[in-house]
Amino acid sequence: MTPLLPVIVPFGAAAISLALGRRHALRRSLGVLALVANLVASVLLLQEVRDGSVVTVVVGDWPAPIGISVVVDLFSAIMLSVASLMLLAVFVYAIGSSRTDDTTLFFHPVYLLLASGVSASFVTGDLFNLFVAFEMTLVCSYVLITLGGSKPQVRHGTTYVVISLLASTLFVTAVGLVYAATGTVNMADLAVKLQAIDPALREALSVLFLVVFGIKAAIFPLFFWLPDSYPTAAAPVTAIFAGLLTKVGVYAIVRSQTLLFSQDTHSTLLLATAALTMTVGVLGAIAQDDVKRILSFHIVSQIGYMIFGLGLFTVAGLAATVFYVVHHILIKTTLFMVGGLIEERTGTAALRRLGGMLHTSPFLAALFLIPALSLAGVPPLSGFVAKLTLIQSGLEVGAYMTVSVALFVSILTLFSMTKIWAGVFWGAPEAPPPMPEGLESSRPRFPPLMVGSTAALVAASLLFVVAAAPLYQLGQRAAEFLFEPAQYVEAVLGP
Amino acid sequence: MIDRSLILQMTADVIIRTAAVFALFLLFRGHNAPGGGFVAGLVVVSGLVIRLVASGRVRARQSLPAPPATIMGLGLALALATGIAGWVWGDAFLEAAKVTLDVPLLGEMHMTSALLFDIGVFMVVIGVGTALVLALAETENGP
């Protein structure tokens, strides 16, 4: 199984989808087919590397440090698999949604290119190519975030574009500096050559990359763009952004800190950032009164937990981070999909204009409740397992400060979830507001495709709990491998 | 009716044809000398801008052989197919191949599979460029 398939398949589908023009039925089936193939390819890759081996190819048949290396280790494969599952579910959801115009000319191709870019960032073993993959996802996200072309979308989209361009400029500068210092951009080669350069310079580069990926991952204090721009996009777009894009940043942080800069650990810096990210994110969430804005602030807060696991620099901590990322991608995407369903049903996501949906749509309430409680970490859901492993590994190292912050933030998370619960589902049903013109008669109030894909992800999150032990072991093996950069180097460059 | 320059309308054809030939020149010399699919595509798009200024949006759109999105899609597909071909007939994705052709009139020519990739880029740039130009022209009032 070649590690390039998850990149090539959606890319090819995007090309064909563009050429198909306005043949919507064909384009939809093509997209679903491509994303199913993407999922199958990713899972097969995961199967191949689950014993801790590495799949690597070099593009263009050049020898390793010269050609572009494509490397899939267990961590990449885990990320690929969960990402491709989300991409498929959200695509089906988008087809069902009446508020996202999936019949616009560019939605399908751009979405598929985004899928290709996300896969590319997980499989690349080349720093400059990582930049290219980031740009691919970013350019697609610029289109998707402003797809409706409404005034708030363009206004908040502009913030997003400007911040992302700034991050990209910093990134390409950092890659240039690395190349100037070492003469290579191949990550395995860098892992060796960065050890030989001046420690002070290496330290500076390490922090520069942390800032670049930190903007992408929305860690404190670089998160401010996220809660502003995400909620204005269409529901499926927000769902996939929330699930994947910041996590690509987290992936890049983990990869760069464990592979490239493995000798100097910024444990204190990362732990402090993690604590601040958790706290500020959740406080922001409490202050909001819109479902999508609350959930957006929670993305920031949750990123803190992932950085916390990395900041411990132990196998247990990193394993918890891997586990947490997977749990988070699944839960966060689902929650945004439920948010979209609420909006689809009522025409608004503002808490004060909602109420009583427990009576009008009890099934939706159940779909919300499970991931919401999981996000807060209520046993026995996946969030509980994720947080438990994280906190245990924190206690092992004695990071009591961050552990107590994490626990306190969990309570606040639960509080803000109950805020949504009370605002949306409890109380007397509001008189249903008039549906936007042209939508009221033709469409069912709960498009089956939207509900179906959301319910499938909720079911997946429950399965995740059942399979928690083997999945955690998988995460642990991935973490063990991440702490052995020599193995990665050997796999790419040869012994 | 917007007042359009008669002189420009008359000379537009000549300018655009010259631009097209120049674009092809850039495209084919791109492998070993400055040039390539990207600039060549931009030159073609600048030809379209001349058409747009000279005769308006409707004529400019009609002068395209296919909708911009289709051109983009086919270009992307061609570039990807070049990569996959290297994988099917060679050893790795994007592996390059080269042949020497004896073309009448032009003599011996070195062709590489990278040229096909470049033609893909050329088409993508034309597609994106024309889509942008036409979208900007939408806001213009009148034909």
Side-chain angles (χ1 to χ4, degrees):
Chain A
M1 176 62 54
T2 167
L4 276 167
L5 271 191
V7 182
I8 296 176
V9 170
F11 191 95
I16 301 170
S17 185
L18 262 174
L20 280 177
R22 297 196 182 275
R23 297 177 187 89
H24 300 304
L26 258 179
R27 290 177 112 189
R28 285 174 178 168
S29 0
L30 174 76
V32 172
L33 205 67
L35 291 169
V36 168
N38 188 25
L39 177 62
V40 171
S42 307
V43 172
L44 286 177
L45 270 174
L46 179 62
Q47 186 64 30
E48 203 169 322
V49 299
R50 59 176 292 185
D51 55 350
S53 59
V54 185
V55 182
T56 163
V57 297
V58 188
V59 169
D61 206 24
W62 300 97
I66 299 166
I68 297 167
S69 295
V70 178
V71 188
V72 173
D73 66 349
L74 192 49
F75 185 37
S76 307
I78 293 173
M79 295 299 280
L80 268 181
S81 305
V82 65
S84 50
L85 179 65
M86 293 308 115
L87 285 162
L88 176 63
V90 174
F91 191 75
V92 172
Y93 180 89
I95 291 176
S97 164
S98 64
R99 284 169 178 272
T100 349
D101 205 1
D102 90 301
T103 56
T104 49
L105 195 51
F106 289 110
F107 178 78
H108 287 222
V110 169
Y111 186 91
L112 290 165
L113 274 181
L114 180 91
S116 175
V118 169
S119 301
S121 6
F122 292 147
V123 302
T124 184
D126 182 285
L127 203 55
F128 185 74
N129 224 38
L130 183 65
F131 170 75
V132 175
F134 270 26
E135 281 302 293
M136 252 170 99
T137 42
L138 280 178
V139 170
C140 294
S141 68
Y142 300 157
V143 178
L144 289 176
I145 209 165
T146 52
L147 199 65
S150 71
K151 219 174 190 174
Q153 276 182 339
V154 173
R155 191 173 62 229
H156 296 294
T158 310
T159 320
Y160 177 74
V161 171
V162 170
I163 296 291
S164 304
L165 282 178
L166 181 71
S168 299
T169 314
L170 275 177
F171 191 2
V172 81
T173 312
V175 174
L177 291 174
V178 163
Y179 188 73
T182 60
T184 181
V185 286
N186 185 299
M187 294 210 263
D189 208 15
L190 276 177
V192 180
K193 289 193 175 150
L194 275 174
Q195 287 179 15
I197 69 169
D198 185 5
L201 179 59
R202 190 172 58 216
E203 191 87 0
L205 287 173
S206 166
V207 173
L208 188 54
F209 276 108
L210 201 57
V211 170
V212 170
F213 299 141
I215 297 178
K216 278 220 59 103
I219 61 175
F220 181 85
L222 309 162
F223 67 91
F224 50 87
W225 55 271
L226 187 146
D228 214 32
S229 53
Y230 277 20
T232 50
V237 174
T238 321
I240 202 68
F241 281 19
L244 294 185
L245 291 197
T246 47
K247 261 54 73 183
V248 176
V250 172
Y251 169 85
I253 292 179
V254 171
R255 182 64 79 195
S256 61
Q257 293 296 318
T258 55
L259 178 63
L260 303 183
F261 305 104
S262 52
Q263 50 283 102
D264 3 69
T265 53
H266 298 106
S267 196
T268 323
L269 175 69
L270 285 173
L271 286 180
T273 315
L276 282 167
T277 310
M278 287 181 221
T279 321
V280 174
V282 84
L283 290 179
I286 287 173
Q288 303 302 315
D289 63 349
D290 179 285
V291 176
K292 282 162 100 178
R293 286 189 67 90
I294 293 179
L295 292 176
S296 295
F297 269 101
H298 272 300
I299 302 175
V300 177
S301 174
Q302 304 284 307
I303 297 288
Y305 285 92
M306 299 167 201
I307 303 299
F308 172 29
L310 171 66
L312 296 172
F313 283 97
T314 59
V315 169
L318 201 52
T321 294
V322 175
F323 193 81
Y324 204 98
V325 171
V326 175
H327 142 79
H328 174 88
I329 291 178
L330 192 58
I331 292 301
K332 202 80 228 183
T333 312
T334 318
L335 277 174
F336 270 99
M337 283 160 88
V338 176
L341 277 171
I342 294 173
E343 221 178 8
E344 181 89 14
R345 176 83 167 81
T346 61
T348 178
L351 288 184
R352 62 191 159 72
R353 287 167 58 193
L354 289 162
M357 285 187 82
L358 188 58
H359 306 289
T360 52
S361 20
F363 185 59
L364 187 60
L367 285 186
F368 174 78
L369 192 63
I370 295 168
L373 290 180
S374 179
L375 187 76
V378 173
L381 298 162
S382 61
F384 171 70
V385 188
K387 278 183 180 158
L388 185 70
T389 52
L390 203 53
I391 280 162
Q392 273 177 343
S393 46
L395 290 176
E396 272 168 28
V397 185
Y400 299 114
M401 196 61 202
T402 322
V403 165
S404 41
V405 171
L407 287 172
F408 182 62
V409 167
S410 289
I411 300 173
L412 293 181
T413 307
L414 188 59
F415 171 74
S416 60
M417 284 299 130
T418 51
K419 192 173 161 181
I420 299 186
W421 179 256
V424 177
F425 296 101
W426 274 351
E430 298 273 316
M435 291 295 275
E437 247 169 78
L439 293 180
E440 58 280 279
S441 55
S442 56
R443 288 213 171 229
R445 292 221 134 177
F446 279 126
L449 281 179
M450 291 175 85
V451 179
S453 50
T454 314
L457 285 191
V458 172
S461 78
L462 290 175
L463 271 181
F464 188 83
V465 187
V466 178
L471 282 172
Y472 180 72
Q473 279 163 8
L474 209 60
Q476 199 162 18
R477 221 173 303 149
E480 277 162 11
F481 185 81
L482 284 171
F483 276 119
E484 297 288 340
Q487 280 186 33
Y488 185 99
V489 173
E490 197 185 313
V492 178
L493 298 180
Chain B
M1 180 67 198
I2 297 173
D3 210 13
R4 297 195 186 277
S5 158
L6 185 65
I7 298 173
L8 186 59
Q9 281 188 39
M10 290 296 110
T11 49
D13 265 353
V14 182
I15 299 174
I16 290 165
R17 273 157 217 222
T18 317
V21 172
F22 184 56
L24 288 177
F25 165 70
L26 285 175
L27 175 65
F28 284 101
R29 85 194 286 260
H31 192 60
N32 291 320
F38 194 89
V39 264
L42 290 181
V43 172
V44 171
V45 175
S46 65
L48 185 95
V49 174
I50 302 270
R51 169 64 68 213
L52 185 76
V53 175
S55 336
R57 175 159 55 87
V58 180
R59 281 288 314 281
R61 173 162 292 160
Q62 281 165 357
S63 67
L64 291 172
T70 312
I71 302 178
M72 269 183 243
L74 292 177
L76 274 182
L78 179 62
L80 186 69
T82 317
I84 293 175
W87 190 19
V88 174
W89 285 289
D91 295 317
F93 184 67
L94 276 174
E95 188 181 338
K98 61 173 196 281
V99 285
T100 309
L101 294 178
D102 202 7
V103 186
L105 293 179
L106 296 174
E108 259 190 13
M109 283 180 77
H110 292 282
M111 306 285 272
T112 60
S113 61
L115 179 68
L116 285 178
F117 187 90
D118 226 13
I119 293 175
V121 173
F122 177 63
M123 289 167 70
V124 173
V125 173
I126 294 178
V128 173
T130 49
L132 288 176
V133 169
L134 289 174
L136 288 173
E138 295 274 317
T139 54
E140 160 201 321
N141 296 321

